[in-house]
Structures are given as C-alpha cells and as structure tokens.
Amino acid sequence: MTTGEMWKASATTLFLLILLNLALFTLGNTPWMVLGLVVLAASMFFSFRQGMDFGHNACCILQTVNRAQQPDSAMQGQLEQKVVKQAWSVARGFKGVLAAALIPYAAGCLYITCSLLNVEPLIIPTRLISWVLASPFWPVVLPWYNTFDRLTGVVAAVLMISPFVLPLCTFAGYLQGPKLWAKSEKAMAEGKRRAKAKSRVVRKKQVPRSQRPEI
C-alpha cells in the first residue's frame, strides 16, 4: 500500500459518508444521530477491514522485495521503485494517515484561526467547508449540541480529531498485515503437507499386489 492509495481509500469513504450524512441531516436531529452513528461505526469497521487487506498485500510485496535483495537473487536490482514503495512499512502506513487527514484537518484549522482572529469575510465560508467535512462525526455530539454555528471547545475538538478517525482505523488494520501474512503462509504450508501426505496414500493404494499362483 502506498501513501496515495491510503489517501484515496480514506477520501472515498469520507466522501460517501458526507453524502449520506447530508441526506440524514434533512430527517432531523434524532434520526440523524441514530442512523449517523450506525453508518459511522460501519465505516470505521470497513476502513479497518480495508486496512487489513492493504497490510496483507503489502507484506506479500515485502517478501518479494526481501528476496530480491538477497545477494544470490536473480532479481537483485531489478525491482522498480514504485513496487518497493508498496512494501509493508509502519512509517509508510503512518504517512498515509497524515496524508489522508491533511485536507479536513487544514480546513478545521483555517476555520478556527479565522474565528479566533475574527476575520469576518472568511468565517462563514471556512465554517461551511469544515462543517461539511466533519459532518459524519457531528452525530457523536448531537446529544449535547444541536447547532454548530459558533466555535466552542467541543466543536474545535471534533474538527481536530475527526480527520484522523477513518485513517487511523485503516492504519490499525494495516498493522495486522504481518500477522495475517504469517497465518496465510502457515495455512499454505499445512495445505501442502496434507496434499503430499494424501498423494503418498494414493500411490500406496495404486501399487499392484503380487498375484499368488493358483494351486
């Protein structure tokens, strides 16, 4: 998984969540809160599972890269850099988190800055942009806040924390990559052993018995 792939996955999920929440917003606060929380929980789980797939595939590429770097490997120095960049790496996954959170986090920071400095021409536009980008997460605070038209500590916390939620779910799944890869390798090895044992049994059954002369 590259940083760009993680950004694309998180951006796609966030875009779909925004569309769903804008539709739920028209139903009223209670339906929006209940359905919005369900949709958000499902999206977090989906992001985690997607991260697991990313991590497993990245570990497969990492094994290929490690083999290619062996001194006696015929592939040494032949792998393209774009392939190497897809290998599993904690640092690469964390960069993906930062890249995926950058735009909504920057929008939230801009709105907070404009509000604190009282930059009137920019307050409403930046509030609208940051509100829309954070709309999937407003149902979390709806039991205590019904409107978000002014900057408060809770609103600022949502704007600063929400950009990292989905990327961190993906990252948490991505970190499971080595465990999943080891599990799949173990399953493959056991499958090969069972296949060999079965083939030996079949060969033994196929050996013709010696016929005794009739008396």
Side-chain angles (χ1 to χ4, degrees):
M1 181 195 73
T2 62
T3 301
E5 288 174 339
M6 187 171 183
W7 176 86
K8 184 178 179 181
S10 295
T12 301
T13 304
L14 179 61
F15 177 73
L16 295 175
L17 272 178
I18 289 172
L19 293 180
L20 284 172
N21 276 270
L22 290 179
L24 294 174
F25 171 72
T26 62
L27 302 178
N29 282 352
T30 301
W32 182 27
M33 179 185 67
V34 176
L35 296 177
L37 289 175
V38 172
V39 170
L40 179 60
S43 299
M44 292 171 65
F45 178 74
F46 172 77
S47 296
F48 179 78
R49 295 289 300 182
Q50 193 174 42
M52 291 174 67
D53 292 336
F54 284 149
H56 184 270
N57 294 336
C59 285
C60 178
I61 297 174
L62 178 62
Q63 186 182 58
T64 302
V65 172
N66 290 337
R67 287 177 178 174
Q69 291 176 346
Q70 296 297 323
D72 57 344
S73 175
M75 298 175 60
Q76 189 176 22
Q78 296 184 8
L79 288 179
E80 296 183 4
Q81 193 62 26
K82 65 180 182 180
V83 175
V84 177
K85 288 182 179 180
Q86 295 178 21
W88 191 88
S89 167
V90 175
R92 189 171 293 114
F94 189 70
K95 287 179 182 178
V97 173
L98 298 179
L102 178 61
I103 293 177
Y105 186 81
C109 288
L110 184 60
Y111 166 57
I112 293 173
T113 302
C114 291
S115 296
L116 293 177
L117 297 179
N118 199 25
V119 184
E120 288 291 343
L122 295 178
I123 291 179
I124 294 179
T126 56
R127 178 196 299 157
L128 179 61
I129 295 173
S130 61
W131 187 95
V132 170
L133 291 174
S135 60
F137 304 93
W138 294 126
V140 177
V141 297
L142 270 177
W144 304 278
Y145 278 79
N146 292 325
T147 59
F148 311 98
D149 56 349
R150 61 189 182 89
L151 182 64
T152 63
V154 173
V155 170
V158 172
L159 295 178
M160 294 293 95
I161 296 173
S162 62
F164 296 95
V165 173
L166 293 178
L168 283 175
C169 289
T170 305
F171 181 60
Y174 180 78
L175 292 179
Q176 304 302 310
K179 185 189 297 183
L180 294 172
W181 177 252
K183 187 175 180 180
S184 63
E185 287 288 285
K186 181 180 178 181
M188 289 178 61
E190 290 177 351
K192 290 179 180 179
R193 285 197 296 268
R194 286 195 294 266
K196 288 181 180 179
K198 186 177 180 180
S199 65
R200 286 195 295 268
V201 172
V202 171
R203 284 198 298 270
K204 287 181 180 179
K205 289 182 178 180
Q206 291 177 348
V207 173
R209 295 182 178 178
S210 59
Q211 295 182 354
R212 296 181 179 178
E214 296 183 358
I215 301 176

